[in-house]
């Protein structure tokens, strides 16, 4: 058993890769209020009922340091902070240090099927769904953005929509999370509670999802950034799927959208780094539903006291989830979208007291607010030449990962 805020007996190497393969996912008896975060190499689990230290303030170096200071005063060894930073980073972030946690590597596919039995409960059925806004209204939002492009004010804006879901029974995390993990083997799967009321036993909600996109990972003075921008839905027909992949790789519209993201990230990171390696062009990577343009950036920090979250907040929001120019796009998102994104398209991840950590973008996700209700989210990057119907289809495809895992 783990000791107070100690690792499980299966230790991990400095790169996050387990020394021995994990036997299964750390998901037994998973309840609302528990924490889970899995990257391609490592998984973390904590039980909220065992106690947490929490902070509900904007994510600043001072607020994070104050939380780790609380952990030090409690005598917690090797504290691990889980966090959620909203799309608008001036709003309150939810940060929490569990009193105990476990970590392990990622199980092989054979170990998952043998070591992670399916929940005995049947999958819930969706009894009500309500788009926010309706698809046609979302198309109108895209058309308004195209007018802004024609006026020369914007080059890109990412517009989001939501879907409110009601289930016929409570959400079952022991079934949902393994399903998301199986669909997101190379991504970042998470269930992180929101501690907004100071109550150490009951969170106000949970952000749960399977993001394909790493924003920042820090290991000592090394940083890794992997923006995705430009995507197309996959096909079950191998020939069509290959054509779509090849088409995305040379799509002028998608390459232009991707270049806005990479150039902005490079501009922001340069002052922080003695070394920064940015590939000349993107590659194409796939999830179960989408092909994405991807650029994998690496660097060496000039000042090793800069934490993973410091860098993530400096980059956030990137053009990948906001637009370009960022400030103008941010303002138009507030005008065009009929809801508050809250933690959607924000940051989700973990961090140690020494500043090492991983922060992903909270995408392909849902806000779970009570037993039977969730709000799903998706967004699409709109640039000159975008087609409203295609953007409606893209956002629907992005919701499919979560929709399939539920029912």
């Amino acid at each position: 058993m783990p000791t107070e805020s100690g690792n499980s007996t299966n230790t991990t190497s400095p790169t996050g890769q387990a020394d021995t393969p994990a036997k299964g996912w750390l998901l037994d008896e998973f309840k609302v209020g528990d924490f889970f975060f899995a990257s391609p190499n490592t998984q973390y689990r904590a039980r909220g009922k065992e106690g947490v230290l929490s902070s509900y303030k904007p994510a600043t170096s001072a607020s994070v340091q104050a939380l780790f200071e609380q952990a030090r005063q409690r005598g917690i060894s090797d504290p691990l902070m889980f966090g959620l930073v909203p799309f608008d980073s001036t709003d309150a972030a939810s940060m929490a240090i569990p009193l105990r946690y476990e970590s392990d590597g990622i199980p092989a596919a054979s170990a998952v099927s043998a070591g992670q039995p399916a929940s005995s409960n049947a999958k819930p059925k969706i009894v009500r769904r309500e788009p926010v806004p309706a698809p046609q209204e979302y198309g109108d939002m895209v058309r308004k953005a195209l007018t802004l492009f024609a006026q020369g004010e914007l080059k890109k804006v990412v517009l989001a929509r939501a879907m409110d879901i009601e289930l016929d029974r409570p959400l079952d995390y022991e079934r949902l999370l393994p399903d998301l993990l199986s669909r997101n083997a190379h991504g970042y799967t998470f269930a992180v509670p929101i501690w907004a009321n100071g109550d150490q036993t009951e969170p106000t909600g949970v952000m749960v999802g399977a993001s394909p996109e790493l924003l920042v990972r820090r290991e000592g003075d090394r940083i890794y950034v992997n923006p995705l921008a430009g995507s197309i839905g996959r096909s079950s027909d191998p020939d069509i799927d290959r054509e779509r992949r090849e088409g995305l790789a040379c799509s002028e519209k998608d390459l232009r959208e991707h270049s806005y993201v990479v150039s902005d990230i490079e501009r922001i990171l340069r002052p922080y780094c003695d070394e920064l390696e940015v590939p000349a062009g993107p590659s194409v990577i796939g999830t179960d539903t989408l092909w994405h343009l991807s650029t994998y950036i690496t660097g060496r920090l000039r000042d090793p006291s800069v934490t993973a979250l410091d860098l993530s907040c400096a980059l956030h929001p990137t053009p990948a989830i906001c637009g370009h120019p960022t400030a103008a796009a941010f303002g138009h998102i507030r005008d065009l979208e009929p809801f508050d994104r809250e933690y959607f398209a924000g940051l989700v991840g973990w961090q140690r007291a020494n500043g090492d950590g991983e922060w992903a973008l909270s995408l392909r996700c849902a806000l779970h607010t009570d037993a039977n209700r969730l709000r799903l989210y998706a967004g699409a990057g709109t640039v000159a030449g975008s087609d409203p119907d295609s953007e409606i289809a893209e956002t629907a495809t992005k919701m499919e990962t979560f929709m399939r895992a539920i029912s």
Side-chain angles (χ1 to χ4, degrees):
M1 295 293 292
T3 57
E4 181 157 86
S5 219
N7 292 329
S8 61
T9 55
N10 186 11
T11 59
T12 57
S13 72
T15 61
Q17 181 64 56
D19 295 333
T20 57
K23 294 181 179 179
W25 297 112
L26 300 174
L27 293 172
D28 58 297
E29 299 180 357
F30 196 94
K31 307 295 183 186
V32 171
D34 288 356
F35 299 79
F36 182 77
F37 187 93
S39 71
N41 293 323
T42 310
Q43 56 174 322
Y44 295 96
R45 160 76 186 276
R47 290 169 170 81
K49 293 295 185 182
E50 294 182 353
V52 299
L53 305 176
S54 65
S55 170
Y56 190 66
K57 299 176 180 178
T60 64
S61 295
S63 64
V64 170
Q65 289 172 4
L67 188 57
F68 277 112
E69 176 61 20
Q70 287 184 52
R72 188 192 68 79
Q73 292 175 2
R74 282 287 298 265
I76 298 174
S77 172
D78 190 23
L80 187 77
M81 181 185 76
F82 294 86
L84 291 163
V85 178
F87 174 68
D88 184 346
S89 60
T90 64
D91 290 342
S94 177
M95 303 289 180
I97 296 176
L99 300 188
R100 293 176 177 84
Y101 70 89
E102 302 167 82
S103 67
D104 210 338
I106 299 300
S110 57
V112 173
S113 59
Q116 184 66 46
S119 168
S120 59
N121 296 330
K123 270 191 173 184
K125 293 182 174 60
I126 297 173
V127 296
R128 184 184 68 87
R129 63 180 73 193
E130 181 180 348
V132 184
Q136 181 57 41
E137 293 176 29
Y138 181 76
D140 291 340
M141 289 162 51
V142 174
R143 280 181 274 273
K144 290 178 182 177
L146 294 174
T147 300
L148 294 172
F149 300 144
Q151 295 170 351
E153 187 173 354
L154 279 179
K155 293 183 178 179
K156 173 184 175 179
V157 65
V158 180
L159 296 175
R161 65 186 182 108
M163 180 79 72
D164 288 336
I165 298 291
E166 183 176 351
L167 307 175
D168 67 346
R169 68 196 71 186
L171 188 66
D172 180 0
Y173 282 87
E174 286 188 73
R175 181 180 289 278
L176 171 65
L177 288 171
D179 196 313
L180 290 174
L181 286 158
S182 70
R183 301 175 187 276
N184 192 43
H186 302 293
Y188 302 82
T189 300
F190 55 91
V192 177
I194 301 166
W195 300 93
N197 57 10
D199 187 331
Q200 300 302 298
T201 59
E202 296 296 334
T204 59
V206 179
M207 287 301 293
V208 54
S211 175
E213 188 162 355
L214 171 71
L215 185 56
V216 173
R217 180 170 77 251
R218 199 202 87 162
E219 298 172 2
D221 64 353
R222 300 296 301 182
I223 63 167
Y224 307 86
V225 180
N226 187 202
L228 308 181
S231 57
I232 191 169
R234 300 194 63 169
S235 171
S236 58
D237 183 306
D239 292 333
I240 296 175
D241 198 44
R242 185 181 64 256
E243 288 175 2
R244 290 183 179 181
R245 182 185 186 281
E246 293 171 352
L248 180 64
C250 60
S251 164
E252 187 277 334
K253 172 216 175 247
D254 291 289
L255 289 169
R256 176 160 39 94
E257 178 186 344
H258 191 84
S259 70
Y260 296 148
V261 176
V262 173
S263 62
D264 207 51
I265 288 175
E266 182 177 5
R267 175 185 60 81
I268 293 169
L269 288 180
R270 284 286 178 197
Y272 290 96
C273 296
D274 284 329
E275 302 171 13
L276 192 66
E277 297 180 13
V278 183
S283 57
V284 180
I285 64 170
T287 66
D288 67 325
T289 57
L290 288 162
W291 291 113
H292 295 280
L293 291 178
S294 164
T295 296
Y296 197 73
I297 300 168
T298 60
R300 187 180 297 278
L301 287 172
R302 179 171 293 120
D303 178 0
S305 69
V306 175
T307 71
L309 186 55
D310 290 338
L311 280 177
S312 297
C313 288
L315 291 170
H316 179 66
T318 71
I321 47 87
C322 182
H324 182 75
T326 303
F330 187 91
H332 286 296
I333 285 169
R334 286 297 183 88
D335 293 338
L336 293 171
E337 291 180 358
F339 61 90
D340 188 339
R341 290 188 182 186
E342 298 181 286
Y343 293 104
F344 168 65
L347 311 177
V348 58
W350 61 270
Q351 186 161 294
R352 298 188 186 280
N354 67 0
D356 284 354
E358 276 183 313
W359 295 91
L361 295 177
S362 49
L363 307 172
R364 314 294 192 276
C365 62
L367 171 63
H368 182 206
T369 51
D370 64 31
N372 295 45
R373 291 184 175 86
L374 305 98
R375 169 166 280 193
L376 280 60
Y377 302 91
T382 301
V383 296
S386 291
D387 173 59
D389 290 337
S390 296
E391 306 300 88
I392 293 169
E394 179 178 330
T395 50
T397 298
K398 287 177 176 177
M399 288 185 189
E400 280 181 20
T401 296
F402 207 97
M403 203 79 76
R404 290 175 183 172
I406 293 174
S407 59

